[in-house]
Amino acid sequence: MESDELALKTLGERLARHRLNRNRTQAEVAREAGVARRTIYKAENGLVIDTQSLVRILRALDLLDRLEVLVPEARVSPMALAEARGHVRERASGYRKAKGADEPAPEWTWPDEER
């Protein structure tokens, strides 16, 4: 797994390459994005910027639609949907396996089946 610093540096290099391929200056992108030119500089050099600024920069570079590739829409699995019986999961349960619970799980049956 790569470090946060390496990921930010890679992202910054890619943003800079897209900007240069469009023959635009940092000042032009900053003006269109509604951020300071220093924010563009920081993003392109792998420094931390806020997510709103990142979204604005992506929009100014016509890259905002690429977020679907970065973070695809999460789909609910059919099994989770059946277990929830129509309730969409909104948070993790926090359930953890008990210590020493190495025993096999009980045999699974459909909820409407009688044992």
Side-chain angles (χ1 to χ4, degrees):
M1 178 179 281
E2 66 183 43
S3 69
D4 293 349
E5 292 80 16
L6 182 57
L8 288 171
K9 183 177 184 230
T10 301
L11 175 62
E13 290 170 353
R14 291 179 185 184
L15 288 172
R17 180 56 40 210
H18 278 280
R19 178 181 59 77
L20 292 170
N21 285 346
R22 289 167 172 75
N23 197 30
R24 299 177 67 195
T25 66
Q26 287 182 342
E28 290 170 338
V29 173
R31 189 172 36 258
E32 186 177 335
V35 300
R37 191 201 61 77
R38 175 89 175 132
T39 302
I40 304 299
Y41 171 86
K42 287 171 66 174
E44 290 183 358
N45 285 281
L47 302 173
V48 176
I49 63 169
D50 63 80
T51 52
Q52 184 177 25
S53 295
L54 177 60
V55 167
R56 289 178 175 192
I57 293 167
L58 291 172
R59 181 176 285 115
L61 293 173
D62 296 321
L63 296 172
L64 192 57
D65 62 331
R66 306 269 179 99
L67 283 178
E68 180 63 30
V69 175
L70 179 62
V71 183
E73 182 179 346
R75 305 237 188 265
V76 178
S77 73
M79 288 302 292
L81 191 58
E83 289 174 6
R85 294 197 174 126
H87 298 286
V88 177
R89 188 170 185 180
E90 295 179 3
R91 63 181 182 190
S93 66
Y95 169 79
R96 299 289 184 258
K97 190 174 181 180
K99 287 184 179 178
D102 293 331
E103 299 173 13
E107 183 179 328
W108 186 87
T109 60
W110 287 101
D112 58 350
E113 289 181 3
E114 293 184 22
R115 286 188 167 238

